[in-house]
Amino acid sequence: MQYSDRILNTPSSFIRNILKVTDASDVISFAGGLPNPISFPLDAIQTSIDRAMKEHGAKLFQYSSTQGYLPLRQYIADKYNRKHGLDISPDDILLTTGSQQALELLAKVLVNKGDGIIIEKPGYLGAIQAFTLSEPTFYPVTLEEDGINLEELEKALQQPNVKMIYTVPNFQNPTGLTYSLEKRKQVYELVSRHDVVLIEDDPYGELRFEGEDLPYIGAGKLENSVLLGSFSKTVTPGMRLGFVITKNKELLTHIETAKQATDLHTNIFAQYVIYDYLANNDFDKHVEKIIDLYKTQSDAMLQAMEKYFPAHVSYTKPQGGMFIWATLNNGQSALDVFQKAMDKNVAFVPGDPFYTDPKGVSTMRLNYTNSTPEMIEEGIKRLASIF
Ligand code: PMP
């Protein structure tokens, strides 16, 4: 059988593959990127399922609009206007099957084979995978402590047919890094001089356990701004509910057309249930609980790293989200360390899949949201013994 270049050039998810190995019950796994299941509001969702079914009956099970359930879009618009000073209406929002789908749709709508996509280096591997299906040329730009490197960004913007810049401004996956206020302003200045779409993918922004919320780079200001959000990290990932926000009507119409072709619409049962949940519960209080939990886990990992890691291993100190990124400054390959770590029943994700041009990198992603503080200390101790 002859397959398309599109699929042959797209890597299968490294993480999904290694999770098969790391999911064994005796492994201390820092490899996943899963929210902690104790953060799922199960009882409240059960109530919402019952209530939504009683109130709306067959509508929960019928085909529905591509753009998504209006009350949910209204809820999102109100919240982003209130919290982030945006000026959006439900018409500026399209509900997607997770924000993951938005990434694939955006590339489909904007990118011809060979067109440029600027992406953080390292960057979210699910975005690399979703974009690769459109056969782009990637222009990776180094992600530093305070955000993307400006000189590299300026150079990348000079490349031919660059269509979009993909950023995760808050608690980035995989590094946990957050763009500073200054860097946000500088990126805005630079991008506003180019005809390019700026994507801000923000599934973790609400999970801040330190510091102050910062304004978006382009959302609310830039004509070609796209902001992505998701209920995966704050309510449930399994319902697969995310959203695109853009005031660029033409772009949103094209995304809607692409979505029609892909899946007609996002699961409408999930849309009714999540809306009912949001409308009838104290969401902020719920998110506070997740933040407290993740702060405890992040603190436990950072303290263990401080105590056990040798001096040649550096690591990020996240202000929120789910990940810490470690760098082995002696050049040791993270893949080698991964094999040795599995022998000691501890897992993480070697940095390689987060680069569009990996070469035996010395970086690694550590997730802290799925282990107790005791397991975290033990796992970090075992890793340190390998370094
Ligand atoms: N963007 C980023 C940066 C992510 O980390 C993830 C999930 N790991 C997604 C998008 C996709 O999330 P979802 O499709 O569940 O909304």
mmCIF file of all heavy atoms in Angstrom, residues 51-53 55-57 59-60 64-77 90-91 93-96 231 241-243 259 265-280:
data_model
loop_
_atom_site.group_PDB
_atom_site.id
_atom_site.type_symbol
_atom_site.label_atom_id
_atom_site.label_comp_id
_atom_site.label_asym_id
_atom_site.label_seq_id
_atom_site.Cartn_x
_atom_site.Cartn_y
_atom_site.Cartn_z
ATOM 1 N N ARG A 51 -29.239 16.907 35.010
ATOM 2 C CA ARG A 51 -30.023 18.126 34.814
ATOM 3 C C ARG A 51 -30.112 18.485 33.329
ATOM 4 O O ARG A 51 -31.187 18.813 32.815
ATOM 5 C CB ARG A 51 -29.401 19.278 35.612
ATOM 6 C CG ARG A 51 -30.255 20.546 35.627
ATOM 7 C CD ARG A 51 -29.785 21.525 36.679
ATOM 8 N NE ARG A 51 -28.339 21.560 36.742
ATOM 9 C CZ ARG A 51 -27.645 21.689 37.878
ATOM 10 N NH1 ARG A 51 -28.252 21.833 39.033
ATOM 11 N NH2 ARG A 51 -26.316 21.703 37.852
ATOM 12 N N ALA A 52 -28.976 18.396 32.622
ATOM 13 C CA ALA A 52 -28.969 18.763 31.195
ATOM 14 C C ALA A 52 -29.885 17.821 30.416
ATOM 15 O O ALA A 52 -30.612 18.252 29.508
ATOM 16 C CB ALA A 52 -27.550 18.727 30.640
ATOM 17 N N MET A 53 -29.869 16.545 30.779
ATOM 18 C CA MET A 53 -30.740 15.602 30.068
ATOM 19 C C MET A 53 -32.205 15.892 30.346
ATOM 20 O O MET A 53 -33.048 15.848 29.453
ATOM 21 C CB MET A 53 -30.396 14.158 30.441
ATOM 22 C CG MET A 53 -29.144 13.680 29.715
ATOM 23 S SD MET A 53 -28.762 11.939 29.976
ATOM 24 C CE MET A 53 -30.176 11.144 29.247
ATOM 25 N N GLU A 55 -33.481 18.799 31.197
ATOM 26 C CA GLU A 55 -33.890 20.079 30.608
ATOM 27 C C GLU A 55 -33.921 20.065 29.089
ATOM 28 O O GLU A 55 -34.749 20.707 28.466
ATOM 29 C CB GLU A 55 -32.946 21.204 31.076
ATOM 30 C CG GLU A 55 -33.256 21.667 32.482
ATOM 31 C CD GLU A 55 -32.286 22.740 32.969
ATOM 32 O OE1 GLU A 55 -31.534 23.301 32.153
ATOM 33 O OE2 GLU A 55 -32.278 22.994 34.186
ATOM 34 N N HIS A 56 -32.977 19.347 28.482
ATOM 35 C CA HIS A 56 -32.821 19.463 27.026
ATOM 36 C C HIS A 56 -33.063 18.175 26.257
ATOM 37 O O HIS A 56 -33.087 18.198 25.024
ATOM 38 C CB HIS A 56 -31.435 20.023 26.690
ATOM 39 C CG HIS A 56 -31.148 21.325 27.346
ATOM 40 N ND1 HIS A 56 -31.717 22.508 26.924
ATOM 41 C CD2 HIS A 56 -30.385 21.639 28.423
ATOM 42 C CE1 HIS A 56 -31.292 23.490 27.720
ATOM 43 N NE2 HIS A 56 -30.495 22.985 28.631
ATOM 44 N N GLY A 57 -33.201 17.062 26.954
ATOM 45 C CA GLY A 57 -33.588 15.789 26.341
ATOM 46 C C GLY A 57 -32.803 15.442 25.090
ATOM 47 O O GLY A 57 -31.568 15.398 25.083
ATOM 48 N N LYS A 59 -31.972 16.947 22.531
ATOM 49 C CA LYS A 59 -30.987 17.891 21.957
ATOM 50 C C LYS A 59 -29.543 17.497 22.295
ATOM 51 O O LYS A 59 -28.619 17.833 21.563
ATOM 52 C CB LYS A 59 -31.238 19.305 22.490
ATOM 53 C CG LYS A 59 -32.425 19.971 21.846
ATOM 54 C CD LYS A 59 -32.459 21.427 22.246
ATOM 55 C CE LYS A 59 -33.675 22.105 21.670
ATOM 56 N NZ LYS A 59 -34.188 23.148 22.558
ATOM 57 N N LEU A 60 -29.373 16.791 23.404
ATOM 58 C CA LEU A 60 -28.024 16.373 23.784
ATOM 59 C C LEU A 60 -27.485 15.293 22.855
ATOM 60 O O LEU A 60 -26.290 15.000 22.868
ATOM 61 C CB LEU A 60 -27.999 15.814 25.218
ATOM 62 C CG LEU A 60 -27.759 16.788 26.354
ATOM 63 C CD1 LEU A 60 -28.947 17.706 26.546
ATOM 64 C CD2 LEU A 60 -27.446 16.055 27.641
ATOM 65 N N SER A 64 -25.682 19.073 15.763
ATOM 66 C CA SER A 64 -25.880 20.490 16.107
ATOM 67 C C SER A 64 -24.909 21.365 15.306
ATOM 68 O O SER A 64 -24.259 20.875 14.383
ATOM 69 C CB SER A 64 -25.718 20.696 17.608
ATOM 70 O OG SER A 64 -24.371 20.611 17.936
ATOM 71 N N SER A 65 -24.818 22.635 15.683
ATOM 72 C CA SER A 65 -24.076 23.581 14.835
ATOM 73 C C SER A 65 -22.559 23.384 14.939
ATOM 74 O O SER A 65 -22.041 22.949 15.968
ATOM 75 C CB SER A 65 -24.409 25.014 15.242
ATOM 76 O OG SER A 65 -23.674 25.351 16.401
ATOM 77 N N THR A 66 -21.864 23.740 13.870
ATOM 78 C CA THR A 66 -20.404 23.601 13.849
ATOM 79 C C THR A 66 -19.750 24.567 14.838
ATOM 80 O O THR A 66 -18.776 24.224 15.510
ATOM 81 C CB THR A 66 -19.873 23.867 12.419
ATOM 82 O OG1 THR A 66 -20.517 22.960 11.525
ATOM 83 C CG2 THR A 66 -18.368 23.650 12.340
ATOM 84 N N GLN A 67 -20.307 25.769 14.946
ATOM 85 C CA GLN A 67 -19.659 26.772 15.790
ATOM 86 C C GLN A 67 -19.734 26.428 17.277
ATOM 87 O O GLN A 67 -18.855 26.788 18.049
ATOM 88 C CB GLN A 67 -20.270 28.155 15.535
ATOM 89 C CG GLN A 67 -19.318 29.253 15.971
ATOM 90 C CD GLN A 67 -19.772 30.634 15.552
ATOM 91 O OE1 GLN A 67 -20.785 30.799 14.875
ATOM 92 N NE2 GLN A 67 -19.019 31.649 15.952
ATOM 93 N N GLY A 68 -20.790 25.711 17.667
ATOM 94 C CA GLY A 68 -20.885 25.281 19.060
ATOM 95 C C GLY A 68 -22.050 25.920 19.795
ATOM 96 O O GLY A 68 -22.618 26.927 19.357
ATOM 97 N N TYR A 69 -22.373 25.332 20.939
ATOM 98 C CA TYR A 69 -23.529 25.686 21.768
ATOM 99 C C TYR A 69 -23.420 27.154 22.231
ATOM 100 O O TYR A 69 -22.448 27.520 22.915
ATOM 101 C CB TYR A 69 -23.559 24.723 22.948
ATOM 102 C CG TYR A 69 -24.737 24.827 23.876
ATOM 103 C CD1 TYR A 69 -26.048 24.935 23.415
ATOM 104 C CD2 TYR A 69 -24.524 24.760 25.258
ATOM 105 C CE1 TYR A 69 -27.110 25.002 24.304
ATOM 106 C CE2 TYR A 69 -25.587 24.819 26.156
ATOM 107 C CZ TYR A 69 -26.874 24.944 25.667
ATOM 108 O OH TYR A 69 -27.922 25.006 26.547
ATOM 109 N N LEU A 70 -24.422 27.951 21.849
ATOM 110 C CA LEU A 70 -24.345 29.398 22.093
ATOM 111 C C LEU A 70 -24.148 29.771 23.568
ATOM 112 O O LEU A 70 -23.280 30.603 23.888
ATOM 113 C CB LEU A 70 -25.574 30.096 21.504
ATOM 114 C CG LEU A 70 -25.638 31.605 21.720
ATOM 115 C CD1 LEU A 70 -24.441 32.325 21.100
ATOM 116 C CD2 LEU A 70 -26.947 32.181 21.150
ATOM 117 N N PRO A 71 -24.916 29.199 24.512
ATOM 118 C CA PRO A 71 -24.692 29.609 25.907
ATOM 119 C C PRO A 71 -23.250 29.371 26.382
ATOM 120 O O PRO A 71 -22.711 30.166 27.155
ATOM 121 C CB PRO A 71 -25.676 28.725 26.693
ATOM 122 C CG PRO A 71 -26.764 28.436 25.716
ATOM 123 C CD PRO A 71 -26.075 28.296 24.384
ATOM 124 N N LEU A 72 -22.627 28.309 25.877
ATOM 125 C CA LEU A 72 -21.240 28.055 26.279
ATOM 126 C C LEU A 72 -20.306 29.096 25.662
ATOM 127 O O LEU A 72 -19.389 29.605 26.321
ATOM 128 C CB LEU A 72 -20.819 26.627 25.881
ATOM 129 C CG LEU A 72 -19.407 26.200 26.281
ATOM 130 C CD1 LEU A 72 -19.167 26.389 27.779
ATOM 131 C CD2 LEU A 72 -19.168 24.731 25.911
ATOM 132 N N ARG A 73 -20.557 29.448 24.408
ATOM 133 C CA ARG A 73 -19.734 30.498 23.782
ATOM 134 C C ARG A 73 -19.938 31.833 24.495
ATOM 135 O O ARG A 73 -19.003 32.604 24.688
ATOM 136 C CB ARG A 73 -20.047 30.605 22.282
ATOM 137 C CG ARG A 73 -19.435 29.449 21.485
ATOM 138 C CD ARG A 73 -19.631 29.600 19.998
ATOM 139 N NE ARG A 73 -20.990 29.386 19.560
ATOM 140 C CZ ARG A 73 -21.728 30.246 18.885
ATOM 141 N NH1 ARG A 73 -21.240 31.435 18.553
ATOM 142 N NH2 ARG A 73 -22.958 29.954 18.540
ATOM 143 N N GLN A 74 -21.179 32.091 24.923
ATOM 144 C CA GLN A 74 -21.451 33.332 25.658
ATOM 145 C C GLN A 74 -20.702 33.330 26.998
ATOM 146 O O GLN A 74 -20.107 34.349 27.394
ATOM 147 C CB GLN A 74 -22.964 33.452 25.911
ATOM 148 C CG GLN A 74 -23.378 34.747 26.599
ATOM 149 C CD GLN A 74 -23.250 35.953 25.658
ATOM 150 O OE1 GLN A 74 -23.865 35.988 24.603
ATOM 151 N NE2 GLN A 74 -22.426 36.937 26.045
ATOM 152 N N TYR A 75 -20.711 32.189 27.668
ATOM 153 C CA TYR A 75 -19.993 32.065 28.953
ATOM 154 C C TYR A 75 -18.510 32.380 28.761
ATOM 155 O O TYR A 75 -17.895 33.121 29.525
ATOM 156 C CB TYR A 75 -20.177 30.642 29.508
ATOM 157 C CG TYR A 75 -19.353 30.368 30.742
ATOM 158 C CD1 TYR A 75 -19.878 30.518 32.024
ATOM 159 C CD2 TYR A 75 -18.012 29.949 30.639
ATOM 160 C CE1 TYR A 75 -19.102 30.277 33.156
ATOM 161 C CE2 TYR A 75 -17.235 29.704 31.754
ATOM 162 C CZ TYR A 75 -17.791 29.866 33.005
ATOM 163 O OH TYR A 75 -17.015 29.635 34.121
ATOM 164 N N ILE A 76 -17.928 31.797 27.691
ATOM 165 C CA ILE A 76 -16.498 31.995 27.431
ATOM 166 C C ILE A 76 -16.222 33.473 27.102
ATOM 167 O O ILE A 76 -15.272 34.074 27.629
ATOM 168 C CB ILE A 76 -16.024 31.079 26.279
ATOM 169 C CG1 ILE A 76 -16.134 29.606 26.692
ATOM 170 C CG2 ILE A 76 -14.582 31.409 25.872
ATOM 171 C CD1 ILE A 76 -16.024 28.608 25.533
ATOM 172 N N ALA A 77 -17.076 34.060 26.257
ATOM 173 C CA ALA A 77 -16.886 35.473 25.891
ATOM 174 C C ALA A 77 -16.932 36.353 27.146
ATOM 175 O O ALA A 77 -16.040 37.192 27.365
ATOM 176 C CB ALA A 77 -17.954 35.912 24.889
ATOM 177 N N PRO A 90 -19.891 36.024 21.394
ATOM 178 C CA PRO A 90 -19.919 34.590 21.065
ATOM 179 C C PRO A 90 -19.586 34.315 19.600
ATOM 180 O O PRO A 90 -19.103 33.232 19.268
ATOM 181 C CB PRO A 90 -21.371 34.195 21.375
ATOM 182 C CG PRO A 90 -21.844 35.182 22.369
ATOM 183 C CD PRO A 90 -21.136 36.459 22.046
ATOM 184 N N ASP A 91 -19.815 35.296 18.728
ATOM 185 C CA ASP A 91 -19.509 35.108 17.306
ATOM 186 C C ASP A 91 -18.014 35.059 17.013
ATOM 187 O O ASP A 91 -17.604 34.700 15.904
ATOM 188 C CB ASP A 91 -20.115 36.249 16.474
ATOM 189 C CG ASP A 91 -21.606 36.065 16.317
ATOM 190 O OD1 ASP A 91 -22.095 34.950 16.638
ATOM 191 O OD2 ASP A 91 -22.271 37.028 15.895
ATOM 192 N N ILE A 93 -16.044 33.169 18.657
ATOM 193 C CA ILE A 93 -15.590 31.909 19.273
ATOM 194 C C ILE A 93 -16.105 30.715 18.475
ATOM 195 O O ILE A 93 -17.250 30.702 18.020
ATOM 196 C CB ILE A 93 -16.122 31.808 20.729
ATOM 197 C CG1 ILE A 93 -15.574 32.963 21.572
ATOM 198 C CG2 ILE A 93 -15.755 30.463 21.354
ATOM 199 C CD1 ILE A 93 -16.179 33.041 22.954
ATOM 200 N N LEU A 94 -15.240 29.717 18.322
ATOM 201 C CA LEU A 94 -15.639 28.430 17.740
ATOM 202 C C LEU A 94 -15.220 27.340 18.725
ATOM 203 O O LEU A 94 -14.063 27.311 19.165
ATOM 204 C CB LEU A 94 -14.913 28.219 16.402
ATOM 205 C CG LEU A 94 -15.113 26.865 15.729
ATOM 206 C CD1 LEU A 94 -16.353 26.889 14.835
ATOM 207 C CD2 LEU A 94 -13.891 26.484 14.886
ATOM 208 N N LEU A 95 -16.163 26.478 19.093
ATOM 209 C CA LEU A 95 -15.826 25.384 20.011
ATOM 210 C C LEU A 95 -15.190 24.249 19.211
ATOM 211 O O LEU A 95 -15.651 23.915 18.117
ATOM 212 C CB LEU A 95 -17.070 24.894 20.747
ATOM 213 C CG LEU A 95 -17.781 25.938 21.610
ATOM 214 C CD1 LEU A 95 -19.009 25.351 22.278
ATOM 215 C CD2 LEU A 95 -16.839 26.505 22.666
ATOM 216 N N THR A 96 -14.125 23.671 19.768
ATOM 217 C CA THR A 96 -13.388 22.622 19.053
ATOM 218 C C THR A 96 -13.294 21.359 19.903
ATOM 219 O O THR A 96 -13.543 21.387 21.118
ATOM 220 C CB THR A 96 -11.961 23.097 18.716
ATOM 221 O OG1 THR A 96 -11.342 23.580 19.915
ATOM 222 C CG2 THR A 96 -11.977 24.197 17.666
ATOM 223 N N PHE A 231 -10.966 23.208 28.260
ATOM 224 C CA PHE A 231 -11.458 22.797 29.578
ATOM 225 C C PHE A 231 -10.739 21.550 30.079
ATOM 226 O O PHE A 231 -11.087 21.001 31.115
ATOM 227 C CB PHE A 231 -12.974 22.553 29.528
ATOM 228 C CG PHE A 231 -13.746 23.817 29.272
ATOM 229 C CD1 PHE A 231 -14.321 24.072 28.040
ATOM 230 C CD2 PHE A 231 -13.863 24.775 30.261
ATOM 231 C CE1 PHE A 231 -15.011 25.254 27.798
ATOM 232 C CE2 PHE A 231 -14.545 25.967 30.033
ATOM 233 C CZ PHE A 231 -15.126 26.204 28.799
ATOM 234 N N LEU A 241 -13.107 19.265 25.043
ATOM 235 C CA LEU A 241 -13.724 20.555 24.742
ATOM 236 C C LEU A 241 -12.697 21.681 24.821
ATOM 237 O O LEU A 241 -12.112 21.940 25.867
ATOM 238 C CB LEU A 241 -14.861 20.802 25.745
ATOM 239 C CG LEU A 241 -16.059 21.573 25.246
ATOM 240 C CD1 LEU A 241 -16.591 21.002 23.946
ATOM 241 C CD2 LEU A 241 -17.172 21.551 26.290
ATOM 242 N N GLY A 242 -12.493 22.323 23.676
ATOM 243 C CA GLY A 242 -11.596 23.465 23.606
ATOM 244 C C GLY A 242 -12.242 24.549 22.771
ATOM 245 O O GLY A 242 -13.389 24.396 22.310
ATOM 246 N N PHE A 243 -11.529 25.672 22.575
ATOM 247 C CA PHE A 243 -12.131 26.747 21.784
ATOM 248 C C PHE A 243 -11.077 27.644 21.155
ATOM 249 O O PHE A 243 -9.958 27.752 21.641
ATOM 250 C CB PHE A 243 -13.103 27.580 22.635
ATOM 251 C CG PHE A 243 -12.585 27.976 23.988
ATOM 252 C CD1 PHE A 243 -11.973 29.189 24.190
ATOM 253 C CD2 PHE A 243 -12.726 27.117 25.080
ATOM 254 C CE1 PHE A 243 -11.494 29.559 25.444
ATOM 255 C CE2 PHE A 243 -12.249 27.474 26.346
ATOM 256 C CZ PHE A 243 -11.645 28.696 26.527
ATOM 257 N N LYS A 259 -13.571 22.681 9.937
ATOM 258 C CA LYS A 259 -14.146 21.832 10.991
ATOM 259 C C LYS A 259 -15.345 21.039 10.476
ATOM 260 O O LYS A 259 -15.522 19.867 10.825
ATOM 261 C CB LYS A 259 -14.519 22.663 12.222
ATOM 262 C CG LYS A 259 -15.054 21.790 13.369
ATOM 263 C CD LYS A 259 -15.190 22.538 14.664
ATOM 264 C CE LYS A 259 -16.009 21.727 15.688
ATOM 265 N NZ LYS A 259 -15.392 20.464 16.104
ATOM 266 N N HIS A 265 -19.240 18.808 13.966
ATOM 267 C CA HIS A 265 -19.273 19.624 15.190
ATOM 268 C C HIS A 265 -18.685 18.822 16.338
ATOM 269 O O HIS A 265 -18.559 17.597 16.262
ATOM 270 C CB HIS A 265 -20.704 20.075 15.531
ATOM 271 C CG HIS A 265 -21.640 18.947 15.862
ATOM 272 N ND1 HIS A 265 -21.667 18.337 17.094
ATOM 273 C CD2 HIS A 265 -22.569 18.310 15.108
ATOM 274 C CE1 HIS A 265 -22.592 17.387 17.097
ATOM 275 N NE2 HIS A 265 -23.147 17.338 15.909
ATOM 276 N N THR A 266 -18.355 19.543 17.410
ATOM 277 C CA THR A 266 -17.830 18.894 18.615
ATOM 278 C C THR A 266 -18.985 18.247 19.387
ATOM 279 O O THR A 266 -20.112 18.763 19.378
ATOM 280 C CB THR A 266 -17.100 19.959 19.461
ATOM 281 O OG1 THR A 266 -15.904 20.322 18.771
ATOM 282 C CG2 THR A 266 -16.743 19.440 20.847
ATOM 283 N N ASN A 267 -18.680 17.139 20.029
ATOM 284 C CA ASN A 267 -19.659 16.383 20.826
ATOM 285 C C ASN A 267 -20.616 17.321 21.589
ATOM 286 O O ASN A 267 -20.203 18.050 22.491
ATOM 287 C CB ASN A 267 -18.866 15.502 21.798
ATOM 288 C CG ASN A 267 -19.756 14.609 22.619
ATOM 289 O OD1 ASN A 267 -20.823 15.024 23.076
ATOM 290 N ND2 ASN A 267 -19.326 13.380 22.803
ATOM 291 N N ILE A 268 -21.877 17.281 21.211
ATOM 292 C CA ILE A 268 -22.832 18.248 21.764
ATOM 293 C C ILE A 268 -23.263 17.884 23.183
ATOM 294 O O ILE A 268 -23.546 18.753 24.010
ATOM 295 C CB ILE A 268 -24.052 18.429 20.814
ATOM 296 C CG1 ILE A 268 -24.967 19.567 21.278
ATOM 297 C CG2 ILE A 268 -24.836 17.156 20.634
ATOM 298 C CD1 ILE A 268 -24.328 20.933 21.264
ATOM 299 N N PHE A 269 -23.259 16.591 23.493
ATOM 300 C CA PHE A 269 -23.529 16.141 24.864
ATOM 301 C C PHE A 269 -22.525 16.810 25.814
ATOM 302 O O PHE A 269 -22.900 17.405 26.833
ATOM 303 C CB PHE A 269 -23.388 14.607 24.921
ATOM 304 C CG PHE A 269 -23.541 14.016 26.282
ATOM 305 C CD1 PHE A 269 -24.796 13.677 26.772
ATOM 306 C CD2 PHE A 269 -22.430 13.769 27.083
ATOM 307 C CE1 PHE A 269 -24.937 13.120 28.039
ATOM 308 C CE2 PHE A 269 -22.559 13.217 28.345
ATOM 309 C CZ PHE A 269 -23.822 12.887 28.823
ATOM 310 N N ALA A 270 -21.263 16.751 25.447
ATOM 311 C CA ALA A 270 -20.210 17.359 26.277
ATOM 312 C C ALA A 270 -20.429 18.867 26.420
ATOM 313 O O ALA A 270 -20.237 19.439 27.493
ATOM 314 C CB ALA A 270 -18.841 17.081 25.664
ATOM 315 N N GLN A 271 -20.867 19.516 25.354
ATOM 316 C CA GLN A 271 -21.048 20.976 25.409
ATOM 317 C C GLN A 271 -22.162 21.354 26.392
ATOM 318 O O GLN A 271 -22.016 22.269 27.194
ATOM 319 C CB GLN A 271 -21.380 21.521 24.018
ATOM 320 C CG GLN A 271 -20.249 21.315 23.010
ATOM 321 C CD GLN A 271 -20.580 21.934 21.662
ATOM 322 O OE1 GLN A 271 -21.066 23.058 21.583
ATOM 323 N NE2 GLN A 271 -20.320 21.202 20.587
ATOM 324 N N TYR A 272 -23.293 20.628 26.321
ATOM 325 C CA TYR A 272 -24.390 20.900 27.262
ATOM 326 C C TYR A 272 -23.958 20.638 28.703
ATOM 327 O O TYR A 272 -24.249 21.421 29.610
ATOM 328 C CB TYR A 272 -25.608 20.014 26.936
ATOM 329 C CG TYR A 272 -26.560 20.608 25.921
ATOM 330 C CD1 TYR A 272 -26.516 20.228 24.581
ATOM 331 C CD2 TYR A 272 -27.523 21.541 26.302
ATOM 332 C CE1 TYR A 272 -27.400 20.757 23.654
ATOM 333 C CE2 TYR A 272 -28.419 22.079 25.378
ATOM 334 C CZ TYR A 272 -28.348 21.687 24.056
ATOM 335 O OH TYR A 272 -29.228 22.222 23.148
ATOM 336 N N VAL A 273 -23.274 19.511 28.906
ATOM 337 C CA VAL A 273 -22.914 19.121 30.271
ATOM 338 C C VAL A 273 -21.895 20.107 30.863
ATOM 339 O O VAL A 273 -22.051 20.575 31.998
ATOM 340 C CB VAL A 273 -22.359 17.673 30.297
ATOM 341 C CG1 VAL A 273 -21.756 17.349 31.658
ATOM 342 C CG2 VAL A 273 -23.468 16.687 29.939
ATOM 343 N N ILE A 274 -20.881 20.448 30.087
ATOM 344 C CA ILE A 274 -19.869 21.377 30.616
ATOM 345 C C ILE A 274 -20.503 22.754 30.861
ATOM 346 O O ILE A 274 -20.218 23.402 31.874
ATOM 347 C CB ILE A 274 -18.668 21.506 29.656
ATOM 348 C CG1 ILE A 274 -17.944 20.170 29.515
ATOM 349 C CG2 ILE A 274 -17.708 22.611 30.105
ATOM 350 C CD1 ILE A 274 -17.009 19.798 30.621
ATOM 351 N N TYR A 275 -21.377 23.168 29.965
ATOM 352 C CA TYR A 275 -22.023 24.469 30.200
ATOM 353 C C TYR A 275 -22.829 24.432 31.496
ATOM 354 O O TYR A 275 -22.747 25.341 32.335
ATOM 355 C CB TYR A 275 -22.931 24.891 29.036
ATOM 356 C CG TYR A 275 -23.695 26.133 29.427
ATOM 357 C CD1 TYR A 275 -23.026 27.344 29.579
ATOM 358 C CD2 TYR A 275 -25.051 26.073 29.760
ATOM 359 C CE1 TYR A 275 -23.689 28.473 30.030
ATOM 360 C CE2 TYR A 275 -25.723 27.195 30.210
ATOM 361 C CZ TYR A 275 -25.034 28.391 30.345
ATOM 362 O OH TYR A 275 -25.681 29.495 30.806
ATOM 363 N N ASP A 276 -23.605 23.369 31.675
ATOM 364 C CA ASP A 276 -24.412 23.259 32.893
ATOM 365 C C ASP A 276 -23.515 23.273 34.126
ATOM 366 O O ASP A 276 -23.812 23.936 35.133
ATOM 367 C CB ASP A 276 -25.250 21.974 32.870
ATOM 368 C CG ASP A 276 -26.176 21.914 34.062
ATOM 369 O OD1 ASP A 276 -25.732 21.522 35.169
ATOM 370 O OD2 ASP A 276 -27.352 22.309 33.913
ATOM 371 N N TYR A 277 -22.412 22.556 34.037
ATOM 372 C CA TYR A 277 -21.465 22.527 35.166
ATOM 373 C C TYR A 277 -20.954 23.944 35.485
ATOM 374 O O TYR A 277 -20.953 24.379 36.635
ATOM 375 C CB TYR A 277 -20.295 21.581 34.870
ATOM 376 C CG TYR A 277 -19.175 21.774 35.846
ATOM 377 C CD1 TYR A 277 -19.287 21.287 37.151
ATOM 378 C CD2 TYR A 277 -18.046 22.525 35.512
ATOM 379 C CE1 TYR A 277 -18.294 21.527 38.084
ATOM 380 C CE2 TYR A 277 -17.049 22.770 36.439
ATOM 381 C CZ TYR A 277 -17.191 22.267 37.725
ATOM 382 O OH TYR A 277 -16.215 22.525 38.651
ATOM 383 N N LEU A 278 -20.546 24.656 34.443
ATOM 384 C CA LEU A 278 -19.980 25.998 34.649
ATOM 385 C C LEU A 278 -21.027 26.967 35.191
ATOM 386 O O LEU A 278 -20.729 27.822 36.031
ATOM 387 C CB LEU A 278 -19.409 26.536 33.329
ATOM 388 C CG LEU A 278 -18.213 25.755 32.769
ATOM 389 C CD1 LEU A 278 -17.940 26.160 31.325
ATOM 390 C CD2 LEU A 278 -16.975 25.970 33.631
ATOM 391 N N ALA A 279 -22.260 26.819 34.708
ATOM 392 C CA ALA A 279 -23.313 27.760 35.091
ATOM 393 C C ALA A 279 -23.800 27.533 36.521
ATOM 394 O O ALA A 279 -24.359 28.442 37.135
ATOM 395 C CB ALA A 279 -24.480 27.650 34.110
ATOM 396 N N ASN A 280 -23.584 26.339 37.048
ATOM 397 C CA ASN A 280 -24.187 26.002 38.342
ATOM 398 C C ASN A 280 -23.192 25.721 39.466
ATOM 399 O O ASN A 280 -23.586 25.260 40.535
ATOM 400 C CB ASN A 280 -25.114 24.793 38.184
ATOM 401 C CG ASN A 280 -26.358 25.142 37.389
ATOM 402 O OD1 ASN A 280 -27.211 25.895 37.842
ATOM 403 N ND2 ASN A 280 -26.426 24.631 36.165
#
